[in-house]
Amino acid sequence: MATTYFSKRNLHFLLHEVFKAEELAKYEYFSAHDKETFNLVLDSATYIADTIMHPNLRDVDRNQPELKDGKVTVHPKIREYLKAMGDAGLIGAGFSFDHGGQQLPEMINSAVSFILMAANNGMMYTGLTSGAAHLITSFGSPELSEFYVPNLLAGTWQGTMALTEPQAGSSLSDVTTSATPLPDGSYKISGQKVFISAGDHDAADNIIHLMLARIDGAPKGTKGISLFVVPKFRLDEQGNVVDNDVQSTGVYHKLGQKGVPAMYLTMGSNDNTIGYIVGEPHQGLRYMFQMMNEARIGVGMTAAAIATAAYYSALQYARERPQSRRLNEKNLLDAPQTAIINHPDVRRMLLFQKAVTEGSLSLLLEAARLYDISEVAEGEEKENAFLLLDLLMPVAKSYPSEMGVQSVSQSLQTFGGYGFTEDFPVEQLYRDIRITPIYEGTTGIQAQDLLGRKMTQKGGKGPQLLFAEMSKTIREASTHDELKPYAQQLGAELKRTQEVVESLMPHAMNGDTERYLADATLFLELFGIVVVAWQWLKQSVVAKQAMLTQNPQGDELAFYEGKLHTMKFYFHYEVPKTLGLAVRLKDTEVLTIVTEKELAL
Amino acid sequence: MATTYFSKRNLHFLLHEVFKAEELAKYEYFSAHDKETFNLVLDSATYIADTIMHPNLRDVDRNQPELKDGKVTVHPKIREYLKAMGDAGLIGAGFSFDHGGQQLPEMINSAVSFILMAANNGMMYTGLTSGAAHLITSFGSPELSEFYVPNLLAGTWQGTMALTEPQAGSSLSDVTTSATPLPDGSYKISGQKVFISAGDHDAADNIIHLMLARIDGAPKGTKGISLFVVPKFRLDEQGNVVDNDVQSTGVYHKLGQKGVPAMYLTMGSNDNTIGYIVGEPHQGLRYMFQMMNEARIGVGMTAAAIATAAYYSALQYARERPQSRRLNEKNLLDAPQTAIINHPDVRRMLLFQKAVTEGSLSLLLEAARLYDISEVAEGEEKENAFLLLDLLMPVAKSYPSEMGVQSVSQSLQTFGGYGFTEDFPVEQLYRDIRITPIYEGTTGIQAQDLLGRKMTQKGGKGPQLLFAEMSKTIREASTHDELKPYAQQLGAELKRTQEVVESLMPHAMNGDTERYLADATLFLELFGIVVVAWQWLKQSVVAKQAMLTQNPQGDELAFYEGKLHTMKFYFHYEVPKTLGLAVRLKDTEVLTIVTEKELAL
């Protein structure tokens, strides 16, 4: 078991030195907070992570949920975890004081998620509950909020997002679960949902599904989908707790994240499932998508956290494991073996992991900061933050996920044969992280969202704002001789990205969406590399400033030097990947669109 | 369960149309064979794969070997498998008639491995037995051969390669297992071995370890290591079967390939382990390395096979799974959902898998062909084949493994959420394949072998031979208008590769090995892309010729068109990756070599 699973120093560097989280207190909504209250919350999360989560990393994985006689049993530590999270106020930390929350910024909430998920992502329960409760407080009636939210935020009830159906995964417009109006304003629900995370278990006293369904006679497609609260247990007219006919039909056994049951649920088998509408009819998908940025930050954070835990595990091993001699000292047979961290190839693998994980975390905290501003600011500031967040979101979800998978693979490789065994946690993390490029919109969906919507909406205002932000960082970096070459390189990458977009745009203009988006995933990859390069340059400006003004020594000096070194590594090893991607994206040969002559695949 | 796990049509295309396996019959050693006997062997392997292996893919994974009271129990089907393989003559197929074999070429043997490992790589037992028996017949005394080889080739005894020790993984020069000479010429063995695949189990009546150990007083390093046969059971002086004191200390539980026990073995706990020397003292590592090309072809083949099985599973799913509408028909809500294979992004993922898996298989059969010629030809032909094989081997082991991991990840992604569940075999294949970049020399080790040894040995004759072969393919391809642009592109890639080598060579000349090899893994990646591009161009020349001369129709036409299309995909999507790699490799900034100022990693 690795003793370190995240770097508190790095998290504080990003929160306080790079993104200056405490400046959010200037907004009325966050005005009760300062650096101290933020750190208290992070310490409280770290305590839960250290004492309940991390010690059970393996055990939760090895004892996966089982469905027996219609009941789902999960690891006994889950109940303890939910209670601790509720008691610490961490499930509702981001909620308003009115709803029993702490009015903490998403920046801090997502830093909390990062710590928790790095400790044990198999306990991924409370983010779902927060998300469900947030849908109710945002769009539901006061009665719904009053009844459901306190129990959810206390951790005694579990919330879920019940979207996916067997025939409707990426294509939510094909949802068919039905809702039939009843005289009292509630609805009778019938249908099936699959892959519902935490969709049933014995660690909570009730399960509250936020479920998409179609009211009888509703329009086809996305415009006919409504949102309902569908509890596992409801109160009947006499106020008695009764079963709401949400049957656990099956539990999926999975490659990873085994601690969380993914449920197959059937509603209405006994014609007795009642749902309570959230907001207006036919607005369900719109509501759900308004929560999507928050949910996607959560997935990106989970990926960054898992990869971070794997990195620290690999780093520790590389420092301790002696194997072979340094290449220029090969013939010294009497010399003791050197720690593998001294082999350039191992160091390259470790720097890759550090570059990916710290770059991802930086981007996600940037996204969370924009989320906060888009929620609490006003006028143009609010709108700009929202547009920028919306543009960055597909990257902030996909880059940590896709590159995180590769990063954990390199963590595993660092261990050699031992990495493939259950003796170290990395094989589990390798399994766990693989879901993140699928959750909450696959990478392919994110790519279509980025190129097909976010790059072009509002006349391309999002990219304009982003390029302005990047240019600002480039200007700041250019004032330091050591950073100047990298500032110039980022400038060149920006230009390259713009050229790629210009080469694709005619297809969008011609209405040939299929052609325009055919290589969208490669564009997302290119865009991700450039955006994370920006994050690294941004971090290095702050590190450089600190070195010049604070005269850091010892570990502090090493920390800042490590930042500059990793930035350089990123620019020298990762950024050149844009060359091949740009060539492909500007290429006119079409090879993936089905034509009349069907290809033999 | 996927119904198809490999393409017989593609295997025959490569064996008979591209590499003309039957031409090997012109050599005396293979003269008993022709296309028909080759195909009979392949059919026999397919029968075992279809009836014993593939139906147990999941079951073997779910019931991993357990060690209890010193005994290792494996899945009951393993014994059936070993017997069937022995009865069919497939374990010894490549051995000479003298040793009870069929004198089949490695090309056919490796095609057999491909079929078997695509069916169920959790039954990876017989390749180890062949390898162990081959060491005995190649270097051991006639007595050793006579006693051990028949039982090994019959599948009643299991062979292993016992190299790795807790402190000696990649660094075999640090092996410490000891061998003390006894008066009768045998040795008393003492030490520990780890990760010994099939190192103990109940499906064979005896386990025969080919073990590296150091004779008392032997020189340090690689020059003092000897090779021994160390059986689990031996005959004592009276001819009774006695336990040879090889204790099963532990069984590693692993991420994948769970069907094969990876054993922790202890020799000499009761001072009663006897070993029999193979060949001369202190030549053990040399013997082992002479078998290494064969072993590495085996690992590459396993990777290519696993990725192929995953590809066919994803392909079937993509053809059957309806989801969403085509992008240019998004507003047709009444239209039925289209199969996901019609989405460009899914098609891109599938073409990537096809390009990687068929490119890998082609390269491996090329390597096997060179192996055969290096074994049976004479003079310059033999030497050239050997040099070319030696050069290609690090790529033929690493490309299928590294790209296979990525390919299976794309197979999994093709399934969306279902890929993460145990409902489909792809999650298992994702776990299984991850060992291949580690087995038989990690990718980092392969990279050092390629750049540090194979590129420069014999005055760079290997690269000269390879470039000549590639130029031949380029000339052939240039005669077809459709292929000409790709022929030119490969020519340009060759030039780029040479420039990269020239930029690195000064470090080798200066004796700065550490600097020379610092980015060797990236060179291996670049070299692999170019070599596989050559294989794809080679395949496309054959496909194009067939289309011009044989007037193929229906499935046959589609097969050849698919070859050309996938070649184009490879050149348009994969080959451009060399751009970024070349930039990095020619970069003068050193970032991974430890200097005095230790970095904060």
Side-chain angles (χ1 to χ4, degrees):
Chain A
M1 188 66 64
T3 46
T4 304
Y5 51 90
F6 79 104
S7 160
K8 185 174 172 180
R9 179 67 189 91
N10 183 52
L11 187 59
H12 281 241
F13 170 75
L14 290 170
L15 284 175
H16 302 308
E17 297 174 63
V18 178
F19 295 114
K20 301 186 168 53
E22 40 279 14
E23 289 183 0
L24 289 172
K26 78 180 179 197
Y27 299 99
E28 174 64 25
Y29 187 81
F30 300 130
S31 59
H33 292 288
D34 55 21
K35 188 172 172 180
E36 201 178 344
T37 63
F38 290 165
N39 286 344
L40 279 173
V41 172
L42 297 177
D43 289 346
S44 161
T46 306
Y47 180 77
I48 293 172
D50 278 345
T51 56
I52 303 179
M53 301 180 79
H54 197 55
N56 291 291
L57 177 63
R58 183 179 303 221
D59 206 48
V60 166
D61 177 70
R62 298 302 187 278
N63 296 284
Q64 63 183 343
E66 295 293 347
L67 172 65
K68 212 176 153 184
D69 303 329
K71 290 189 193 308
V72 180
T73 313
V74 295
H75 195 282
K77 284 284 171 183
I78 305 294
R79 182 173 282 271
E80 192 180 322
Y81 165 69
L82 293 177
K83 185 170 185 324
M85 286 290 288
D87 288 352
L90 288 174
I91 302 176
F95 287 68
S96 68
F97 295 133
D98 289 348
H99 285 113
Q102 300 186 52
Q103 292 194 185
L104 273 162
E106 178 63 14
M107 271 196 94
I108 302 304
N109 283 329
S110 60
V112 163
S113 293
F114 174 74
I115 295 168
L116 302 177
M117 293 299 97
N120 185 349
N121 79 92
M123 288 191 174
M124 187 203 68
Y125 284 77
T126 51
L128 297 161
T129 300
S130 299
H134 199 178
L135 274 170
I136 297 173
T137 58
S138 301
F139 308 110
S141 65
E143 292 73 25
L144 278 181
S145 279
E146 209 172 302
F147 188 69
Y148 288 101
V149 173
N151 281 312
L152 287 167
L153 300 193
T156 46
W157 290 3
Q158 171 72 51
T160 85
M161 300 295 191
L163 288 71
T164 306
E165 298 180 4
Q167 82 297 342
S170 292
S171 181
L172 284 175
S173 60
D174 290 292
V175 157
T176 60
T177 293
S178 67
T180 307
L182 294 174
D184 69 351
S186 66
Y187 291 80
K188 196 158 262 187
I189 307 289
S190 174
Q192 300 180 323
K193 296 284 175 182
V194 294
F195 299 138
I196 308 308
S197 292
D200 193 14
H201 63 85
D202 63 343
D205 298 336
N206 201 357
I207 313 281
I208 312 305
H209 305 286
L210 274 286
M211 191 175 289
L212 294 181
R214 207 176 275 285
I215 297 172
D216 297 348
K220 294 203 173 190
T222 52
K223 289 175 185 151
I225 297 174
S226 305
L227 180 64
F228 299 87
V229 165
V230 181
K232 180 178 179 181
F233 298 108
R234 69 173 199 266
L235 295 184
D236 69 7
E237 285 152 25
Q238 288 74 43
N240 302 315
V241 176
V242 296
D243 185 285
N244 196 32
D245 190 22
V246 179
Q247 313 264 359
S248 288
T249 312
V251 59
Y252 291 96
H253 283 172
K254 296 176 296 179
L255 174 62
Q257 284 209 332
K258 288 179 188 252
V260 190
M263 297 306 304
Y264 191 133
L265 301 175
T266 305
M267 279 65 64
S269 320
N270 302 312
D271 195 31
N272 192 20
T273 307
I274 304 297
Y276 309 98
I277 197 162
V278 178
E280 299 296 315
H282 315 324
Q283 300 298 316
L285 216 55
R286 187 170 71 77
Y287 297 156
M288 206 50 108
F289 272 90
Q290 283 188 45
M291 294 291 136
M292 213 41 109
N293 284 338
E294 205 181 337
R296 288 176 175 168
I297 290 174
V299 175
M301 227 14 136
T302 302
I306 296 171
T308 298
Y311 165 58
Y312 282 104
S313 172
L315 178 61
Q316 181 183 339
Y317 185 79
R319 283 184 158 141
E320 292 171 359
R321 168 73 174 171
Q323 194 71 184
S324 201
R325 281 110 205 130
R326 287 183 63 168
L327 284 167
N328 286 352
E329 297 164 356
K330 266 286 184 192
N331 296 319
L332 303 176
L333 291 178
D334 283 324
Q337 300 196 68
T338 189
I340 61 171
I341 195 172
N342 295 323
H343 298 308
D345 195 50
V346 172
R347 192 163 281 262
R348 182 186 56 76
M349 292 196 285
L350 291 168
L351 279 163
F352 172 75
Q353 295 163 51
K354 184 172 161 77
V356 166
T357 52
E358 295 182 6
S360 294
L361 181 57
S362 182
L363 174 59
L364 284 157
L365 291 174
E366 176 92 70
R369 190 183 67 82
L370 291 167
Y371 178 91
D372 288 323
I373 296 172
S374 77
E375 289 281 305
V376 302
E378 285 176 12
E380 201 184 358
E381 187 187 18
K382 181 188 183 82
E383 194 192 348
N384 286 353
F386 182 77
L387 280 172
L388 196 45
L389 170 67
D390 234 23
L391 176 67
L392 287 177
M393 210 49 249
V395 183
K397 192 265 165 179
S398 302
Y399 183 94
S401 306
E402 290 285 344
M403 296 307 292
V405 168
Q406 290 188 37
S407 184
V408 179
S409 185
Q410 293 298 289
S411 306
L412 191 153
Q413 189 76 9
T414 306
F415 283 85
Y418 287 102
F420 198 65
T421 71
E422 296 184 359
D423 295 11
F424 292 95
V426 71
E427 69 83 25
Q428 177 185 339
L429 300 174
Y430 184 70
R431 290 185 282 106
D432 289 345
I433 197 170
R434 188 58 189 82
I435 188 61
T436 59
I438 296 170
Y439 271 156
E440 299 293 352
T442 62
T443 300
I445 296 290
Q446 301 300 325
Q448 290 183 20
D449 183 43
L450 174 65
L451 195 58
R453 192 176 304 127
K454 306 299 178 58
M455 288 298 289
T456 52
Q457 70 185 0
K458 306 252 176 188
K461 181 105 190 269
Q464 284 167 32
L465 291 166
L466 177 64
F467 293 173
E469 284 292 316
M470 286 186 174
S471 299
K472 195 177 138 218
T473 305
I474 289 171
R475 277 196 306 278
E476 288 170 3
S478 298
T479 61
H480 302 285
D481 285 348
E482 189 179 359
L483 307 185
K484 200 167 185 177
Y486 303 101
Q488 285 169 347
Q489 201 181 338
L490 183 58
E493 293 300 329
L494 262 188
K495 194 157 164 284
R496 191 195 317 282
T497 307
Q498 282 165 324
E499 285 165 9
V500 166
V501 173
E502 279 159 26
S503 77
L504 292 171
M505 215 41 85
H507 304 300
M509 303 288 193
N510 297 338
D512 189 354
T513 312
E514 192 159 280
R515 173 67 185 87
Y516 175 56
L517 297 180
D519 285 335
T521 298
L522 302 190
F523 180 75
L524 174 66
E525 189 179 343
L526 178 143
F527 198 72
I529 292 169
V530 177
V531 164
V532 173
W534 164 51
Q535 289 298 311
W536 269 112
L537 194 63
K538 194 177 239 194
Q539 291 185 55
S540 69
V541 169
V542 176
K544 190 78 195 170
Q545 296 276 22
M547 288 166 81
L548 290 172
T549 58
Q550 293 164 28
N551 189 27
Q553 303 292 326
D555 283 355
E556 276 298 287
L557 178 61
F559 175 81
Y560 290 121
E561 279 177 340
K563 280 290 174 193
L564 293 186
H565 194 81
T566 311
M567 178 278 289
K568 290 177 189 173
F569 178 89
Y570 187 87
F571 273 84
H572 284 276
Y573 283 79
E574 290 302 297
V575 174
K577 291 178 179 171
T578 59
L579 288 168
L581 289 165
V583 165
R584 170 59 216 160
L585 283 158
K586 291 200 239 170
D587 192 338
T588 54
E589 178 93 18
V590 173
L591 291 162
T592 54
I593 294 178
V594 190
T595 52
E596 284 164 51
K597 191 168 78 177
E598 176 66 21
L599 288 158
L601 259 177
Chain B
M1 189 68 61
T3 48
T4 303
Y5 51 90
F6 80 104
S7 161
K8 186 174 170 179
R9 179 67 190 93
N10 183 51
L11 188 59
H12 282 240
F13 169 74
L14 291 171
L15 284 176
H16 302 309
E17 297 174 63
V18 177
F19 295 114
K20 300 185 170 52
E22 40 279 13
E23 289 183 2
L24 288 172
K26 77 180 178 195
Y27 299 99
E28 175 63 24
Y29 187 82
F30 299 130
S31 59
H33 291 289
D34 56 19
K35 187 172 172 179
E36 203 178 340
T37 62
F38 289 165
N39 286 344
L40 279 173
V41 173
L42 297 177
D43 289 347
S44 162
T46 305
Y47 180 77
I48 292 172
D50 278 346
T51 56
I52 304 178
M53 300 179 79
H54 197 55
N56 292 292
L57 177 63
R58 182 179 304 220
D59 206 46
V60 166
D61 177 71
R62 298 303 186 278
N63 297 281
Q64 62 183 346
E66 295 293 347
L67 172 64
K68 210 176 153 186
D69 303 329
K71 291 188 193 309
V72 180
T73 312
V74 296
H75 195 281
K77 284 284 170 184
I78 305 295
R79 183 172 281 270
E80 192 179 324
Y81 166 68
L82 293 176
K83 184 169 183 328
M85 287 289 287
D87 289 351
L90 289 173
I91 303 175
F95 286 67
S96 68
F97 295 134
D98 290 348
H99 284 115
Q102 301 186 51
Q103 292 194 185
L104 274 163
E106 178 63 15
M107 270 195 94
I108 303 304
N109 285 329
S110 60
V112 163
S113 293
F114 174 74
I115 295 168
L116 303 177
M117 292 300 96
N120 185 348
N121 79 93
M123 288 191 173
M124 187 204 67
Y125 285 76
T126 51
L128 297 160
T129 300
S130 301
H134 199 180
L135 274 170
I136 298 174
T137 59
S138 301
F139 307 110
S141 66
E143 292 74 26
L144 279 180
S145 278
E146 209 173 299
F147 187 71
Y148 288 102
V149 172
N151 282 312
L152 286 167
L153 301 193
T156 46
W157 291 2
Q158 171 72 51
T160 86
M161 300 293 191
L163 288 69
T164 305
E165 298 179 4
Q167 81 297 344
S170 293
S171 181
L172 284 175
S173 60
D174 291 293
V175 157
T176 59
T177 293
S178 68
T180 307
L182 295 173
D184 69 351
S186 66
Y187 290 78
K188 197 157 260 185
I189 306 290
S190 174
Q192 300 182 322
K193 295 284 174 182
V194 295
F195 299 138
I196 308 308
S197 293
D200 192 13
H201 63 84
D202 62 344
D205 298 336
N206 200 357
I207 313 282
I208 314 303
H209 304 287
L210 274 285
M211 190 177 287
L212 294 180
R214 206 177 277 282
I215 298 173
D216 298 349
K220 296 203 171 190
T222 53
K223 287 173 186 152
I225 297 174
S226 305
L227 181 64
F228 298 88
V229 165
V230 181
K232 179 178 179 182
F233 298 108
R234 69 172 200 265
L235 295 185
D236 69 7
E237 284 151 25
Q238 288 75 43
N240 302 314
V241 175
V242 296
D243 186 285
N244 196 32
D245 190 21
V246 178
Q247 312 264 1
S248 288
T249 312
V251 59
Y252 291 97
H253 284 172
K254 297 176 297 180
L255 174 62
Q257 284 210 333
K258 289 181 187 250
V260 190
M263 297 304 305
Y264 191 133
L265 301 175
T266 305
M267 280 64 64
S269 320
N270 302 313
D271 195 30
N272 192 21
T273 306
I274 304 296
Y276 310 98
I277 196 161
V278 178
E280 299 295 315
H282 314 324
Q283 300 297 316
L285 215 55
R286 188 171 68 77
Y287 297 155
M288 206 49 110
F289 272 90
Q290 283 189 44
M291 294 291 136
M292 212 41 110
N293 284 338
E294 206 181 336
R296 287 175 176 168
I297 290 174
V299 175
M301 228 13 135
T302 302
I306 297 170
T308 298
Y311 165 57
Y312 282 104
S313 172
L315 178 60
Q316 181 182 339
Y317 185 80
R319 282 184 160 142
E320 294 171 359
R321 168 74 174 172
Q323 193 74 185
S324 202
R325 281 110 204 130
R326 288 184 62 169
L327 284 167
N328 286 352
E329 297 166 355
K330 266 287 185 191
N331 297 321
L332 303 178
L333 290 178
D334 282 324
Q337 301 196 69
T338 189
I340 61 170
I341 196 172
N342 296 322
H343 298 309
D345 195 51
V346 171
R347 191 162 281 261
R348 182 186 56 75
M349 292 196 284
L350 290 168
L351 279 163
F352 171 75
Q353 295 162 53
K354 183 172 162 76
V356 165
T357 53
E358 295 183 6
S360 295
L361 181 58
S362 183
L363 174 58
L364 284 157
L365 291 174
E366 176 91 70
R369 191 183 66 83
L370 291 167
Y371 177 89
D372 287 324
I373 297 173
S374 77
E375 289 281 305
V376 301
E378 286 177 12
E380 203 185 355
E381 188 188 17
K382 182 189 182 81
E383 195 192 345
N384 285 354
F386 182 76
L387 280 172
L388 197 45
L389 170 65
D390 234 25
L391 176 67
L392 287 177
M393 210 49 249
V395 183
K397 192 265 165 177
S398 303
Y399 183 93
S401 306
E402 289 285 344
M403 296 306 292
V405 168
Q406 290 188 37
S407 184
V408 179
S409 185
Q410 293 298 290
S411 306
L412 191 154
Q413 190 76 10
T414 307
F415 282 85
Y418 287 101
F420 197 65
T421 71
E422 295 184 1
D423 294 11
F424 291 94
V426 71
E427 68 84 23
Q428 177 185 339
L429 300 174
Y430 184 71
R431 291 185 281 105
D432 289 345
I433 199 172
R434 188 59 189 80
I435 188 61
T436 60
I438 297 170
Y439 270 159
E440 300 293 351
T442 62
T443 299
I445 296 290
Q446 302 299 324
Q448 290 184 18
D449 184 42
L450 175 64
L451 195 57
R453 193 178 302 127
K454 304 301 179 58
M455 290 298 289
T456 53
Q457 70 185 1
K458 306 253 176 186
K461 181 104 189 271
Q464 285 166 32
L465 291 165
L466 177 63
F467 292 174
E469 284 290 317
M470 286 186 173
S471 299
K472 196 177 135 218
T473 306
I474 289 171
R475 279 195 306 277
E476 288 170 3
S478 298
T479 63
H480 301 286
D481 284 348
E482 190 179 359
L483 307 185
K484 202 167 182 172
Y486 303 101
Q488 285 169 346
Q489 202 181 338
L490 183 57
E493 292 301 328
L494 263 188
K495 194 155 165 288
R496 193 195 315 282
T497 307
Q498 283 165 323
E499 284 166 8
V500 166
V501 173
E502 279 158 26
S503 76
L504 292 171
M505 216 39 84
H507 304 300
M509 302 289 193
N510 297 337
D512 189 354
T513 312
E514 191 159 282
R515 173 66 185 87
Y516 176 55
L517 297 179
D519 284 336
T521 298
L522 301 190
F523 180 76
L524 174 66
E525 189 179 343
L526 177 142
F527 199 70
I529 293 169
V530 176
V531 164
V532 173
W534 164 50
Q535 289 298 312
W536 268 112
L537 195 63
K538 194 177 237 193
Q539 291 185 56
S540 70
V541 169
V542 175
K544 190 77 196 174
Q545 295 277 21
M547 289 166 81
L548 290 172
T549 59
Q550 293 164 28
N551 190 28
Q553 304 291 326
D555 285 355
E556 276 298 287
L557 178 61
F559 176 81
Y560 290 120
E561 280 178 340
K563 280 290 174 192
L564 294 185
H565 193 80
T566 311
M567 178 279 290
K568 290 177 189 172
F569 178 88
Y570 187 86
F571 274 84
H572 285 276
Y573 284 78
E574 290 302 297
V575 174
K577 292 177 180 172
T578 59
L579 288 168
L581 290 165
V583 164
R584 170 58 216 159
L585 283 159
K586 292 201 242 171
D587 191 337
T588 53
E589 178 94 18
V590 174
L591 292 161
T592 56
I593 295 178
V594 190
T595 53
E596 283 164 50
K597 192 169 78 179
E598 177 66 19
L599 289 158
L601 259 177

